[in-house]
Amino acid sequence: MPLPTDADVLVIGGGPSGSTVSTLLAQRGHRVTVFERERFPRDHVGESLLPYCYGIFEELGVLEAMKERMVRKPGVRFIDVDGRHHTTWCFGHVIKDESHLSFHVRRDRFDDMLLRNAEAHGVEVHEETRVRSVDLDGPEGTVSVVVAGPDGEERTVTGSYVIDASGRDTFIAARMGWKKAHDELDRVATSAHWEGVEFNGGLDEGLLQIVYLGGEKKGWIWVIPIGADRVSIGVVVNNSYFKERRAELRASRSEDTTLDYYLAELRTSPFVDAVIRSGRMVQGPVVNGNYSYKSDTKYGPNFALVGDAHTFIDPIFASGIYLSMNSARLVAYALDEALTSGDGKPALDAAYEQIAGAYRTVEKAIRLFYNPTAINFAQAGSAGELIHERHKNAMASMHYLLAGDFFRRHEEYSRVIDLLADPKLFARYKTFVVDRPELATASTCGMDRAQVFSEMLLQEAAARG
Ligand SMILES: Cc1cc2nc3c(=O)[nH]c(=O)nc-3n(C[C@H](O)[C@H](O)[C@H](O)COP(=O)(O)OP(=O)(O)OC[C@H]3O[C@@H](n4cnc5c(N)ncnc54)[C@H](O)[C@@H]3O)c2cc1C
């Protein structure tokens, strides 16, 4: 397809944010063009989704395809590194309709499905087409981008709006000097896909597993079942710890410092060690840095930044895709109003106020996770009846928060997080609950294999033997 000369809306990047904003605008009759540097399907990190994505999938028209092709996720289990405590948070405790069952995805398939769906809704998609520069000061408030197509040919394309959905490349924010790092949340993730592993300890019932690493690592391990025979396993640690470990491995003549570091960290958790013992790595390990930042400016009269292109915060609560897709949805509604009425400012102001509240709440919950004197998500459930009786509302709120309900009731969640971060409460709770091993009971969301893995996924695994 030849490169266009103009469109109403130009979108940089065809990941979940770009596909969402462009599909919703095309559904409302606007001419939208997406420029995507890669050819899809392409791999990406970030594979576990929140129940609150459900409504967006319905609106995009992909919910049935999700049910057919992706793994179902009833909740998340947090585990201490020594395996002594673990807590299973089931979304079904607070969400009573079918959306309590979320999804885990292979990103090559998920992102490709969303981009093809955008095309099916009339979005013009140009893959292997990199945006090289952007000009926000065109005549009469227009914008233009210079793009390079698959054959290297460059073209200038103009529009009324440009949306930056370029992910952690932060195309516009990086060029404008708007990007600011959160130094204290500076982490590095190293991850790989595995097959032939032991589907034990809740993986067979679709749970996302998060192992606390604690101490100087300030990190965690994720284990995500992304197929009936495939898991994604990643280690997240403080950047300084990562650099020190790699330097030590180099000094001890390791031939592959990334691999040696990765495997050594996985083996610190008895749970993960048992999962991988019989498995083989089929993809990776890959390293992802560039963690935790936000852009000072997020929108203006003819541009908007969505998803990771404006803010990225530590993915501990698997919130990134929902934050990104829902902000893209809110921005699409606002731009529709702008393109239709000619004045988008009030709608964009309102959308970004809601978006800022959601990111603030998630960031606060992340700081709670890393706070050594606050209640720990792995130990909370060990409290059993005690915590549930005394802090029933707080625990219900945390379930909602883990499910993704942070765009609507930020103030309430903020108060709950303050309560859980109170060191006095933590000290009392530690004596009565954490230090009593008899309270560390196993818990489950009660799913069986056939509910978690679709027919298609089971057949695929069987074919691989
Ligand atoms: C280690 C790690 C673990 C994570 N785990 C989770 C998780 O479990 N659950 C979750 O919900 N989220 C997770 N996330 C976050 C999640 O991956 C992101 O929030 C999500 O991918 C954001 O989508 P996006 O569309 O904004 O950006 P992306 O998915 O990154 O898409 C951006 C697209 O823009 C394209 N692009 C970039 N520059 C240009 C250019 N100049 N021209 C044209 N195209 C360009 C890229 O090729 C890319 O396809 C994780 C992130 C990390 C780093």
Side-chain angles (χ1 to χ4, degrees):
M1 191 195 322
L3 287 166
T5 54
D6 70 304
D8 295 335
V9 182
L10 313 172
V11 180
I12 310 172
S17 303
S19 294
T20 303
V21 73
S22 58
T23 304
L24 296 177
L25 283 167
Q27 281 175 347
R28 286 158 178 76
H30 305 295
R31 284 189 311 131
V32 188
T33 299
V34 172
F35 304 105
E36 167 53 55
R37 162 180 83 186
E38 310 279 340
R39 163 120 344 243
F40 280 26
R42 57 100 180 87
D43 287 322
H44 201 294
V45 73
E47 295 145 323
S48 190
L49 312 188
L50 300 184
Y52 272 66
C53 288
Y54 232 76
I56 308 178
F57 295 145
E58 258 175 327
E59 211 171 319
L60 295 175
V62 296
L63 184 58
E64 289 314 309
M66 289 294 294
K67 290 180 185 172
E68 270 165 35
R69 300 179 206 173
M70 309 299 173
V71 176
R72 304 313 296 269
K73 168 186 173 184
V76 47
R77 179 173 290 171
F78 289 91
I79 311 168
D80 270 347
V81 68
D82 60 9
R84 242 169 37 98
H85 296 97
H86 58 85
T87 296
T88 305
W89 300 73
C90 305
F91 304 128
H93 285 166
V94 290
I95 300 176
K96 296 301 172 195
D97 61 30
E98 63 161 343
S99 72
H100 77 273
L101 274 187
S102 186
F103 299 96
H104 303 291
V105 301
R106 280 182 58 162
R107 287 290 298 272
D108 51 351
R109 296 177 179 181
F110 176 67
D111 290 21
D112 188 49
M113 178 196 73
L114 292 177
L115 194 59
R116 302 287 78 95
N117 182 60
E119 266 177 333
H121 281 87
V123 175
E124 194 173 316
V125 175
H126 293 269
E127 288 165 87
E128 294 179 88
T129 302
R130 180 188 283 269
V131 177
R132 290 205 180 281
S133 63
V134 61
D135 177 6
L136 303 174
D137 300 315
E140 292 166 29
T142 56
V143 288
S144 63
V145 292
V146 175
V147 300
D151 54 6
E153 177 210 358
E154 287 203 353
R155 164 154 300 191
T156 302
V157 190
T158 57
S160 304
Y161 284 93
V162 62
I163 297 180
D164 186 358
S166 63
R168 286 183 299 124
D169 276 64
T170 58
F171 188 85
I172 293 183
R175 275 161 187 74
M176 297 292 186
W178 296 336
K179 188 174 169 182
K180 300 281 175 297
H182 279 301
D183 291 333
E184 76 282 24
L185 290 177
D186 188 16
R187 306 282 189 271
V188 180
T190 311
S191 58
H193 285 183
W194 294 73
E195 283 179 2
V197 299
E198 276 303 318
F199 262 71
N200 58 15
L203 286 174
D204 46 353
E205 56 166 302
L207 293 169
L208 161 63
Q209 316 264 345
I210 302 283
V211 179
Y212 269 90
L213 292 179
E216 54 163 344
K217 297 180 189 175
K218 293 191 181 152
W220 45 284
I221 299 176
W222 78 70
V223 185
I224 308 175
I226 50 171
D229 63 344
R230 184 183 273 235
V231 294
S232 162
I233 307 183
V235 186
V236 177
V237 293
N238 212 6
N239 204 359
S240 53
Y241 173 81
F242 177 73
K243 284 188 187 145
E244 278 164 27
R245 283 298 299 133
R246 296 271 299 264
E248 281 164 21
L249 285 163
R250 260 192 304 279
S252 64
R253 297 181 191 282
S254 156
E255 283 178 13
D256 188 336
T257 55
T258 304
L259 182 66
D260 290 345
Y261 150 79
Y262 174 69
L263 292 176
E265 292 301 330
L266 297 195
R267 291 190 178 123
T268 60
S269 156
F271 164 71
V272 182
D273 188 41
V275 170
I276 62 172
R277 206 166 295 147
S278 61
R280 61 189 179 281
M281 230 181 294
V282 291
Q283 196 176 298
V286 290
V287 176
N288 273 279
N290 190 14
Y291 249 57
S292 300
Y293 54 78
K294 62 178 136 198
S295 169
D296 288 344
T297 304
K298 297 183 174 58
Y299 65 104
N302 56 10
F303 69 91
L305 279 47
V306 294
D308 286 5
H310 74 66
T311 305
F312 180 74
I313 36 183
D314 194 301
I316 173 73
F317 295 116
S319 54
I321 291 189
Y322 176 60
L323 281 168
S324 297
M325 290 179 82
N326 205 41
S327 2
R329 166 159 73 168
L330 294 173
V331 168
Y333 298 159
L335 287 191
D336 174 45
E337 208 167 308
L339 288 159
T340 314
S341 73
D343 179 13
K345 188 165 179 328
L348 275 166
D349 286 346
Y352 275 96
E353 200 181 308
Q354 218 184 336
I355 292 168
Y359 277 93
R360 257 199 323 272
T361 309
V362 176
E363 189 183 321
K364 200 163 175 181
I366 289 166
R367 289 179 195 281
L368 176 71
F369 179 86
Y370 288 116
N371 179 348
T373 63
I375 279 175
N376 160 316
F377 285 81
Q379 298 166 352
S382 310
E385 296 312 309
L386 281 178
I387 188 108
H388 280 89
E389 277 315 308
R390 295 185 58 175
H391 301 293
K392 214 179 238 165
N393 292 339
M395 297 315 279
S397 290
M398 284 315 285
H399 275 90
Y400 275 118
L401 195 62
L402 288 169
D405 187 23
F406 27 72
F407 277 83
R408 291 183 308 143
R409 298 187 287 161
H410 348 118
E411 299 309 326
E412 183 186 325
Y413 292 130
S414 199
R415 281 195 299 275
V416 171
I417 294 169
D418 288 341
L419 172 74
L420 295 176
D422 176 354
K424 278 199 239 100
L425 172 73
F426 176 70
R428 219 167 40 228
Y429 160 80
K430 189 165 180 319
T431 314
F432 286 116
V433 181
V434 179
D435 296 339
R436 290 168 58 190
E438 70 274 18
L439 290 174
T441 50
S443 50
T444 164
C445 298
M447 298 281 290
D448 64 41
R449 198 168 153 78
Q451 290 169 290
V452 173
F453 302 105
S454 67
E455 200 46 46
M456 194 197 101
L457 291 168
L458 289 170
Q459 277 173 15
E460 192 180 71
R464 267 200 289 267

